[in-house]
Amino acid sequence: MARVGRILLRSPMGVIGGALLLLCLGLVLFGPALAPYDPTRFHPAERLQGPSGAFWMGTDQFGRDILSRVLAGARATILFGVIATALGTALGTTIGLASGFAGGRIDEVVMRFNDSLLAIPGLLKALLIVTVLGPSTTNAMLAVAIATAPSMARIARSVTLSVRARDYVAAAIARGEGAAFIMAREMLPNVIAPVIVESTIRVAFAIMTGATLSFLGMGAQPPASDWGLMIAEARNFMHRNPWMVVWPGLSIAMVAIAFNLFGDALRDALNPRSGHGR
Amino acid sequence: MSQTRFGRRDVLKGGAALGALAATGQFAARGAHAQGAAGTPRRGGTLRVSVSQRVNHLNPLTHINNPEYMIGEMMYAGLTRLAATGMAPEPDLAERWEATPDATQWTFTLREGLTFHHGPAVTAKDVVATFRAILDPATASPGRRNVGPIKSVTDIDARRVRFELDGSFADFPVNLAYSNARIAPAAILERDVKALDTAGYGAGPFKLARYEPGRMVRVERFEGYYNRGRPYLDAVEQVLYPDLAAETAAIVNAETDILLLGQPSDFPRLSRTQGVVAMRTPSGRFHNLVLRMDTPPFNDIRVRRALQMALDRQACLDLVFEGLGRVATASPISPEDRFHEAVPAPRRDVAGARRLLAEAGHPQGLKIALACANRPPTRTALGVAIKELVRPAGFDIDVQTIPYDTYIANIWRKGNFYVGTFNMQAHEDAMYTLLFTSDAPWNDAQWNNRRFDELIYGARRTLDNNRRKEMYAEAQRLMVSEVPYLIPFYEDLLSFRRPYVQGYNLHPRGGVFMLENVWLAEGAPRRG
């Protein structure tokens, strides 16, 4: 772990990504407390204004302070993406690893089923699931997690197939180790790198899918300051006060970049063949 | 039987005069020319109109929203229709009508030589079949009460139809102009009503050319239309833009010629946009909060009154509708209506509202979910605005946005607290019997007030205008004190057009578009 940390600190991408992630963490922990105004309070006389001394990021159609809303929405928005992706990744990796390790007919059946799920677009899948579960933020999170799982399973399984042919796996089997042990200790560390890279990209996707679900009334509900919902609401006022879209948009972009940079750096650090730190 | 022209009422005089004109063949020449049209109307061209709500089917008897009304109006004709600028009835398929002096029996005479788009002649039998279908509860037509107190409808001969009413009713020809009262062929209605959903069998100015559900409807000029010389356009395409930003972009880029139902958020910007003409007209159209009275918590009048007292109407109008309208009371009858009574809205009193809510058994406040369809987006905006404005009084409103289609299927007329939106109606009776009397087809607040029903049905049967005004005034006061709906403001109708679109007017009624009068001047793009 210390080795991975050292490698990360040596790569500029890792440093920037890590710093941005720390910022995200700060937002998750302290964002709502830092808001200068109540995020749902109206200032009717100051609707749709650009940034000013009183409202650093401007105001929206109800005269609500955009900065306060962005800060207040950080926790819900970031945690939504992280938790949904983590759940989806755990589920997908387990399925992919087990299926790839088992091989043969089981692998065939599981993967064909998985492929059929992959054929349905992610958003549609999430919509279907949340329609069955009923609209709420928690259910939207579960829906995004389940929608993420099939592609993670695909990636985990493809790596598993190449790893499974390795000598150390054959050796572990020859030693008579149990399947669970082999998967968890011998194979998972070698499977995890591409899975992590993919999941970091997926965090941004999860936030956007969550936002889309909110937009369709299947996730966060107004007047929540969920970033995606803020963008959805701002669209009708985009031409009159572009800042309404810019700030939550930049915030989502920041989170996405943070996870991508950090994920890339992490992949390099975790990859035994990347030549670092030996 | 002695039949005299019924001339006691202004509205009828108008209708009768127009009827006489039409009978002598002058009506078509006079035509209801659109105001502000520059130059001589030109024939030809394809008009593309954008809408943001879906047309669910083509059967005019059961249409419920404005994009559907627009299609129904183009493909079908009624016995009467509203004049191009007001609520007076004018002849449509019927060239004239007479009533007995007590206005209980009405005879409508069809024009000569009318035909449906698919060939057969329009006869009195078709009229009878249409109204029987509308009155049949199985059809579930929203116009069932709105077409008037019809007891029976019979054909006298091929061109004459007699309506027997359940009591006097002087405004009957206005009711017959209702959006659902469009004449369809008896043969289709009696054999295969479902056919009306996807095909066109009307006698209106345009005939169906293409229907792609969820995408577009294209209609083309019907050469056999009774009003010779109309329509001016070769074709009209109604295109659905589920995304409002895309719909606005389309009119700015001249991909479309008319944006049918404009949003207030776009109005200030598009008013200043080159190549777009922003249109605005005062109307009695409104957004409302339905407070369903047969279930808690709104079965308690104190809760309804508390909510009404907590509301800041001017703030709602400014925040949600950019101030493009006028504040309202709980009454759906706007200053545009004939018998409008200026019932003062209760003054905002947050402390009083809080007290009243506590008296009603909610000293800790009341938590309740408010359903808002996502189209038009002003529904959710109103929900959010009201949530914040009534919070100090102890209401904790949980705003829930849902897709429009889901709203229509699951919430409307079923939920106990949601945001509705309704067009202005042609007169008081039409509004009340559509939404508020106990037997109204869209009685979504389930008010069921006996005194109110008596007033409405009494006023309907009263020929004396002063007496009628009193009765409607009492009905309006009753609504403000009983609060079956909260109506924060009456909206101005908004629409956008390209400068070359001529003859297009905003009718305060809301669901009336009269596209047969529209023509394309110099500068219109050529479309297929």
Side-chain angles (χ1 to χ4, degrees):
Chain A
M1 216 43 215
R3 184 185 70 86
V4 171
R6 273 201 312 279
I7 297 168
L8 276 177
L9 280 179
R10 243 178 282 151
S11 112
M13 280 201 313
V15 172
I16 299 172
L20 285 175
L21 269 192
L22 276 180
L23 180 62
C24 289
L25 187 67
L27 284 175
V28 167
L29 292 176
F30 308 113
L34 290 173
Y37 298 93
D38 177 343
T40 59
R41 192 177 141 208
F42 294 174
H43 304 89
E46 279 138 323
R47 306 174 61 222
L48 297 168
Q49 295 199 345
S52 67
F55 305 101
W56 292 4
M57 289 185 180
T59 55
D60 68 4
Q61 75 271 29
F62 293 108
R64 296 177 297 201
D65 178 37
I66 296 175
L67 173 63
S68 300
R69 293 181 66 70
V70 167
L71 287 172
R75 182 180 293 168
T77 312
I78 296 173
L79 283 186
F80 181 97
V82 171
I83 295 175
T85 310
L87 283 175
T89 304
L91 183 66
T93 308
T94 311
I95 293 171
L97 195 62
S99 174
F101 180 75
R105 201 161 287 174
I106 296 175
D107 183 41
E108 203 58 34
V109 171
V110 171
M111 280 301 126
R112 288 300 84 77
F113 180 69
N114 195 60
D115 287 349
S116 68
L117 284 181
L118 272 177
I120 310 172
L123 176 62
L124 195 63
K125 234 174 340 207
L127 258 180
L128 270 173
I129 296 163
V130 86
T131 308
V132 173
L133 296 176
S136 78
T137 310
T138 318
N139 287 347
M141 208 185 282
L142 281 177
V144 173
I146 297 172
T148 308
S151 53
M152 302 309 293
R154 252 279 148 227
I155 291 162
R157 188 254 189 183
S158 70
V159 187
T160 303
L161 286 187
S162 67
V163 170
R164 198 187 180 307
R166 294 291 168 86
D167 293 342
Y168 58 82
V169 176
I173 294 172
R175 282 203 308 274
E177 305 283 11
F181 178 87
I182 296 172
M183 280 194 281
R185 299 299 294 273
E186 302 288 343
M187 296 172 75
L188 187 60
N190 296 290
V191 169
I192 202 76
V195 166
I196 282 183
V197 173
E198 176 69 13
S199 69
T200 51
I201 297 163
R202 289 266 152 185
V203 172
F205 169 80
I207 290 175
M208 284 317 293
T209 309
T212 312
L213 289 175
S214 301
F215 173 70
L216 293 170
M218 298 292 187
Q221 295 290 332
S225 45
D226 179 285
W227 292 347
L229 186 62
M230 284 174 73
I231 293 178
E233 286 187 314
R235 296 185 68 225
N236 291 328
F237 298 89
M238 204 157 57
H239 295 278
R240 292 171 65 193
N241 184 8
W243 298 106
M244 282 176 69
V245 182
V246 169
W247 296 119
L250 278 179
S251 307
I252 291 179
M254 194 263 299
V255 175
I257 291 169
F259 277 95
N260 278 336
L261 288 182
F262 189 76
D264 276 359
L266 195 64
R267 178 195 55 194
D268 289 346
L270 287 173
N271 187 347
R273 281 169 299 159
S274 62
H276 291 289
R278 289 290 157 107
Chain B
M1 186 188 311
S2 88
Q3 301 235 337
T4 60
R5 180 158 291 154
F6 186 77
R8 235 184 282 183
R9 312 194 41 77
D10 306 344
V11 62
L12 284 178
K13 270 187 198 145
L18 280 168
L21 276 175
T24 52
Q26 292 171 33
F27 178 72
R30 244 175 71 112
H33 261 287
Q35 295 161 343
T40 324
R42 300 198 313 182
R43 265 172 93 84
T46 297
L47 179 79
R48 195 172 290 159
V49 181
S50 73
V51 297
S52 53
Q53 281 166 322
R54 198 151 114 92
V55 168
N56 290 300
H57 57 76
L58 302 176
N59 180 354
L61 272 47
T62 50
H63 280 167
I64 58 169
N65 63 33
N66 285 326
E68 291 180 347
Y69 293 150
M70 172 188 148
I71 296 296
E73 185 187 77
M74 289 194 291
M75 285 168 45
Y76 290 84
L79 287 178
T80 65
R81 63 183 188 187
L82 296 182
T85 50
M87 301 298 183
E90 66 175 32
D92 199 1
L93 293 180
E95 63 180 15
R96 65 194 139 87
W97 53 85
E98 291 98 30
T100 51
D102 63 352
T104 56
Q105 197 184 86
W106 294 76
T107 307
F108 287 78
T109 307
L110 294 174
R111 293 170 196 274
E112 244 173 310
L114 292 172
T115 59
F116 286 112
H117 298 164
H118 61 298
V122 181
T123 68
K125 281 201 170 25
D126 300 309
V127 177
V128 171
T130 299
F131 281 92
R132 286 194 179 148
I134 290 172
L135 296 171
D136 182 355
T139 310
S141 171
R144 191 155 73 88
R145 299 286 166 199
N146 222 311
V147 293
I150 301 172
K151 200 157 69 178
S152 71
V153 46
T154 43
D155 50 319
I156 303 169
D157 54 39
R159 283 179 56 208
R160 285 191 300 161
V161 185
R162 179 177 299 147
F163 291 90
E164 296 272 355
L165 303 189
D166 184 11
S168 306
F169 186 37
D171 286 337
F172 186 53
V174 185
N175 288 50
L176 292 186
Y178 191 63
S179 306
N180 292 131
R182 311 254 179 229
I183 307 304
I188 305 291
L189 286 169
E190 281 155 15
R191 237 174 294 142
D192 184 17
V193 182
K194 279 275 151 215
L196 292 178
D197 287 350
T198 50
Y201 296 97
F206 294 94
K207 59 184 197 294
L208 183 68
R210 200 158 85 228
Y211 174 40
E212 297 174 25
R215 205 186 87 75
M216 67 102 75
V217 183
R218 181 184 164 93
V219 294
E220 290 170 359
R221 177 168 47 224
F222 172 45
E223 298 295 347
Y225 186 49
Y226 71 80
N227 195 354
R228 297 292 166 201
R230 303 289 168 85
Y232 297 120
L233 297 162
D234 290 337
V236 178
E237 291 176 357
Q238 186 200 68
V239 187
L240 176 72
Y241 284 82
D243 184 85
L244 294 166
E247 190 187 11
T248 312
I251 185 104
V252 172
N253 302 332
E255 283 163 40
T256 54
D257 308 313
I258 290 177
L259 190 157
L260 197 68
L261 308 165
Q263 292 308 312
S265 55
D266 292 327
F267 196 82
R269 177 173 68 98
L270 290 191
S271 306
R272 298 188 302 268
T273 302
Q274 189 84 36
V276 177
V277 180
M279 302 169 71
R280 171 184 175 189
T281 200
S283 162
R285 187 177 161 78
F286 59 82
H287 279 48
N288 64 317
L289 293 194
V290 174
L291 314 178
R292 196 173 163 119
M293 292 197 200
D294 57 353
T295 49
F298 297 116
N299 54 354
D300 189 329
I301 189 167
R302 291 170 297 192
V303 178
R304 305 198 299 269
R305 282 189 178 148
L307 193 57
Q308 163 152 291
M309 278 164 80
L311 198 62
D312 182 342
R313 292 150 201 281
Q314 187 65 47
C316 283
L317 177 60
D318 293 342
L319 290 170
V320 179
F321 237 75
E322 309 286 330
L324 301 169
R326 288 142 304 151
V327 292
T329 61
S331 166
I333 305 303
S334 72
E336 273 64 46
D337 283 287
R338 193 162 35 137
F339 295 117
H340 170 73
E341 172 82 6
V343 186
R347 268 232 325 277
R348 188 172 191 224
D349 176 3
V350 173
R354 185 175 268 284
R355 263 196 313 278
L356 209 53
L357 198 59
E359 270 175 43
H362 307 284
Q364 306 304 321
L366 174 65
K367 191 172 168 57
I368 186 161
L370 173 67
C372 306
N374 63 352
R375 288 288 175 279
T378 38
R379 293 202 215 221
T380 305
L382 181 63
V384 172
I386 286 180
K387 172 192 173 77
E388 208 55 29
L389 293 169
V390 302
R391 195 165 60 173
F395 287 96
D396 179 7
I397 293 178
D398 180 19
V399 177
Q400 297 185 339
T401 317
I402 43 172
Y404 176 73
D405 292 337
T406 312
Y407 161 76
I408 290 295
N410 299 336
I411 301 294
W412 184 45
R413 292 186 288 158
K414 299 188 182 86
N416 72 339
F417 192 37
Y418 55 90
V419 178
T421 144
F422 293 100
N423 284 331
M424 183 180 180
Q425 296 296 320
H427 53 54
E428 287 76 4
D429 184 80
M431 174 61 79
Y432 288 135
T433 55
L434 180 68
L435 293 169
F436 299 104
T437 51
S438 306
D439 59 355
W442 290 353
N443 174 15
D444 51 4
Q446 289 294 318
W447 187 21
N448 303 340
N449 183 301
R450 216 161 47 182
R451 174 67 189 149
F452 179 80
D453 289 355
E454 279 168 17
L455 285 168
I456 300 315
Y457 288 114
R460 176 183 266 190
R461 276 191 285 271
T462 305
L463 296 178
D464 172 6
N465 260 345
N466 291 328
R467 178 78 197 103
R468 232 170 135 208
K469 184 170 171 46
E470 279 166 30
M471 293 167 101
Y472 282 133
E474 189 186 336
Q476 288 168 67
R477 284 194 294 271
L478 208 53
M479 287 203 70
V480 175
S481 82
E482 295 264 324
V483 213
Y485 274 12
L486 269 188
I487 302 178
F489 50 81
Y490 306 117
E491 313 163 16
D492 291 351
L493 298 183
L494 309 173
S495 187
F496 305 108
R497 65 171 170 90
R498 301 293 300 183
Y500 49 76
V501 176
Q502 299 293 328
Y504 171 54
N505 281 338
L506 285 182
H507 195 289
R509 165 76 173 76
V512 172
F513 305 100
M514 298 285 198
L515 294 183
E516 67 175 80
N517 294 328
V518 172
W519 53 280
L520 298 174
E522 214 64 54
R526 258 174 227 290
R527 306 191 195 281

